[in-house]
Amino acid sequence: MTIASPHLGSSESWTDAKLLFALEEVVEKELNRHLKVTKDWMPHEYVPWSDGRNFPGLFEDGEAWDPQQSKVTEIGKIALVVNLLTEDNLPSYHHEIASLFGRDGAWGTWVHRWTAEEGRHGIVMRDYLLASRAVDPDKLEAFRMQHMSEGFESDNRHSMLHSVAYVAFQELATRISHRNTGHQSGDPVCDRMLSRIAQDENLHMVFYRNLLGAAFEIAPDLTMQAVRDVVVGFRMPGHGMPGFERMAAQMAIGGVYNLRIHHDDVLSPVIRFLKIMSIDGLGPEGRQAQEELGLFMDGLDSEARKFDERLAARAARIAARKA
């Protein structure tokens, strides 16, 4: 990919306001494409309502939750809770992107459409968990209250370009996490539900990925620096929830989301699709960011290889004990 020279303005001349204006037509084009290919769906159609029954409280026939009532595997429960609590912070996400992207024009239409589509995810996941009795409902609500009461602030709220770069990767990461959770859940109903959510996340990723590609065309150096910063400092949006480190470690071991998945299935596909490592015509800061991005990806691949080896050794020890 070759960036036309001269650049459309120096790095110093690009402000968030100018970038928002310059990308408005791309946002409108991508919004129209999204609305043509997306399909509305009904969250209630994915919930096993016939499995549901009253919990204790206002109902005399309420039945207390018991772990034996759940069809979901242990790793599935952990990942479902993490994924749902992440979705629960939608009000904070909406506030952040509405503040950065605005509420008018194509940008505003996209912000509200994205929020509406994401809202389905939390609705259907919570309904599934309660109807199927997959997790302790009291603990789930306590987690939600604690997580949302602490609030959420994005690492990239200072920059529109950083925010676009982040969501291009994060939407794909969320899609992968949902799909792998479904595969590991042990419940075909859960798998179908999360597969449907993952379809939305994939379309959201395509929107932001294409927008990021357009940003490379108009402000290549700044965009390269933003991608470098985001990739190097990437954190999932649920990182602030109580017990996240422990749950993330369990999800890594369980094959839901780990270093290998992050490198191979999240970062690499976006970088490869946009041909980020082969962009030329960059200025000194852009070239440095590109080189640092390449070095980081190489280092991450090495770390992922070490993780794979530790995971294989752990599996061998478990198999030996069983034998």
Side-chain angles (χ1 to χ4, degrees):
M1 179 178 181
T2 302
I3 299 298
S5 183
H7 296 169
L8 302 180
S10 66
S11 296
E12 291 75 17
S13 69
W14 282 113
T15 64
D16 276 3
K18 290 181 179 179
L19 285 166
L20 287 167
F21 179 78
L23 290 169
E24 178 87 20
E25 289 187 11
V26 179
V27 172
E28 184 174 5
K29 174 186 174 183
E30 289 302 315
L31 172 63
N32 290 334
R33 180 198 55 76
H34 177 84
L35 294 175
K36 286 181 181 179
V37 299
T38 191
K39 295 181 180 178
D40 281 337
W41 54 281
M42 302 297 115
H44 57 268
E45 294 179 357
Y46 288 80
V47 178
W49 298 108
S50 60
D51 290 349
R53 47 209 185 273
N54 293 334
F55 288 102
L58 298 178
F59 301 98
E60 294 182 1
D61 62 344
E63 180 182 350
W65 180 82
D66 185 276
Q68 300 302 317
Q69 296 166 350
S70 177
K71 302 176 183 176
V72 178
T73 61
E74 287 304 312
I75 186 60
K77 293 177 187 177
I78 293 167
L80 278 164
V81 169
V82 170
N83 292 350
L84 175 57
L85 291 183
T86 300
E87 300 286 356
D88 276 336
N89 253 333
L90 181 61
S92 290
Y93 308 149
H94 173 84
H95 172 75
E96 294 239 343
I97 66 171
S99 298
L100 276 167
F101 300 156
R103 295 174 174 82
D104 301 318
W107 281 104
T109 302
W110 167 253
V111 165
H112 296 307
R113 176 71 192 195
W114 175 87
T115 302
E117 291 182 5
E118 288 286 340
R120 291 189 182 122
H121 303 169
I123 291 170
V124 71
M125 289 175 68
R126 175 165 282 100
D127 286 347
Y128 166 82
L129 290 174
L130 296 179
S132 67
R133 294 189 167 233
V135 299
D136 185 334
D138 294 341
K139 289 184 178 180
L140 182 64
E141 176 61 9
F143 264 161
R144 187 190 70 84
M145 285 296 296
Q146 181 179 351
H147 184 39
M148 293 192 69
S149 295
E150 292 176 357
F152 171 83
E153 287 189 343
S154 168
D155 295 332
N156 304 287
R157 62 190 180 279
H158 63 287
S159 160
M160 188 277 285
L161 267 183
H162 281 72
S163 295
V164 169
Y166 176 74
V167 289
F169 294 104
Q170 180 267 320
E171 292 284 2
L172 182 52
T174 305
R175 172 205 166 194
I176 296 297
S177 181
H178 282 311
R179 284 304 290 126
N180 288 344
T181 298
H183 294 331
Q184 300 283 2
S185 69
D187 182 8
V189 174
C190 180
D191 195 19
R192 287 194 296 270
M193 172 192 67
L194 292 177
S195 175
R196 188 60 192 81
I197 291 175
Q199 292 177 48
D200 281 358
E201 303 290 6
N202 193 62
L203 289 177
H204 297 165
M205 179 276 294
V206 171
F207 178 95
Y208 287 119
R209 183 193 64 192
N210 292 350
L211 188 57
L212 184 62
F216 268 115
E217 293 290 342
I218 66 172
D221 290 318
L222 280 179
T223 306
M224 186 66 75
Q225 293 172 71
V227 169
R228 183 267 322 274
D229 294 345
V230 163
V231 169
V232 170
F234 186 90
R235 296 194 295 176
M236 291 293 274
H239 63 81
M241 71 180 60
F244 178 78
E245 290 78 10
R246 176 179 53 81
M247 291 186 289
Q250 291 169 310
M251 291 168 65
I253 293 171
V256 174
Y257 200 95
N258 54 41
L259 282 178
R260 175 53 62 201
I261 293 170
H262 184 59
H263 178 277
D264 290 0
D265 300 337
V266 176
L267 299 181
S268 292
V270 175
I271 291 172
R272 185 169 54 247
F273 183 88
L274 296 177
K275 299 180 174 63
I276 290 175
M277 299 313 302
S278 59
I279 291 176
D280 56 17
L282 297 166
E285 292 181 336
R287 287 197 301 272
Q288 180 180 349
Q290 187 181 48
E291 292 171 3
E292 290 173 353
L293 176 63
L295 290 172
F296 177 83
M297 289 297 292
D298 289 343
L300 184 63
D301 186 44
S302 297
E303 290 298 312
R305 191 176 303 113
K306 294 175 184 177
F307 174 82
D308 291 341
E309 292 170 355
R310 292 195 298 270
L311 203 60
R314 179 179 182 275
R317 290 195 302 269
I318 292 174
R321 285 199 296 269
K322 288 181 178 179

